Amino acid sequence: MKIYTGRGDDGMTDLRDMSRVSKTSPRIEAYGTVDELNALIGTVRPTGHDDVDEILEGVQNHLHVVQADFANPDPDEDDPRVREAHVDEVEDWIDDFEDELDPLQSFILPTGSEKGSRLHHARTVCRRAERRAVEFAAGDPVNAEAIQYLNRLSDGLFTWARVVNKRDGVPEENPTY
């Protein structure tokens, strides 16, 4: 299999059902931003914390499911789909780490150790992916659980950024107004 096909040279791309759409369509923007998020998370691993790395590996696999879900305009029951179990898993991961953190009293600046800062950056890209998915959903049917997953994942990335910073001995900073 060649890495290049030339099929996208005209600004169009194939969906899972082999229908063709513009590379600027909201659907492509949505799953392209999820791909960007996945690559960004890849720059964080390894964090130096095995439990966080294990979760991030799981997240990266989930994001492939999100992309497949968004790329499929007419999914069959056997096709990759984001399910409630994916959202539940992220919620469980967040809950597992929240006990390690001090409760938030105010906003914090998205900074810290190199890995913590990258997780904060990933959170912002995740929010953008969610916005792109919501935009895509305005014109096409979209699996609502995939959008919910991205919403929950941004909360997870925020939590894991805080955990990594705490473990790395970097104190949180609050904004001044």
Side-chain angles (χ1 to χ4, degrees):
M1 180 173 142
K2 285 188 172 191
I3 192 68
Y4 61 89
T5 64
R7 288 186 48 79
D9 293 350
D10 61 354
M12 302 290 283
T13 192
D14 296 323
L15 296 178
R16 186 169 168 93
D17 67 358
M18 297 310 292
S19 61
R20 306 269 296 154
V21 297
S22 170
K23 290 182 177 183
T24 63
S25 80
R27 178 186 298 273
I28 304 306
E29 280 293 323
Y31 75 71
T33 306
V34 172
D35 187 31
E36 179 185 355
L37 170 61
N38 204 343
L40 183 56
I41 291 171
T43 69
V44 178
R45 289 192 322 132
T47 63
H49 307 285
D50 291 343
D51 53 349
V52 176
D53 292 342
E54 185 178 320
I55 285 170
L56 294 177
E57 181 181 5
V59 165
Q60 287 191 284
N61 281 292
H62 288 176
L63 290 173
H64 270 279
V65 176
V66 173
Q67 286 180 261
D69 202 332
F70 286 173
N72 196 346
D74 189 27
D76 292 328
E77 190 60 35
D78 296 350
D79 289 329
R81 300 282 314 232
V82 176
R83 312 250 185 237
E84 184 179 350
H86 292 100
V87 176
D88 292 344
E89 189 167 23
V90 173
E91 289 176 352
D92 290 343
W93 289 335
I94 292 169
D95 293 344
D96 289 346
F97 283 89
E98 276 196 321
D99 291 340
E100 190 173 331
L101 298 169
D102 297 329
L104 280 175
Q105 302 298 320
S106 66
F107 289 107
I108 61 169
L109 296 175
T111 189
S113 68
E114 179 186 348
K115 301 299 182 169
S117 293
R118 284 188 186 175
L119 285 165
H120 278 299
H121 184 191
R123 175 190 52 80
T124 67
V125 173
C126 188
R127 288 284 188 206
R128 180 161 32 94
E130 180 188 8
R131 291 190 304 272
R132 296 294 184 267
V134 169
E135 180 182 20
F136 156 43
D140 283 298
V142 177
N143 178 2
E145 288 171 330
I147 296 173
Q148 185 181 11
Y149 179 86
L150 292 171
N151 182 274
R152 206 66 79 252
L153 178 58
S154 65
D155 296 331
L157 291 164
F158 178 77
T159 301
W160 304 317
R162 293 185 68 212
V163 165
V164 166
N165 282 336
K166 183 174 182 176
R167 290 179 182 178
D168 289 348
V170 180
E172 293 179 339
E173 297 176 26
N174 301 110
T176 57
Y177 297 96

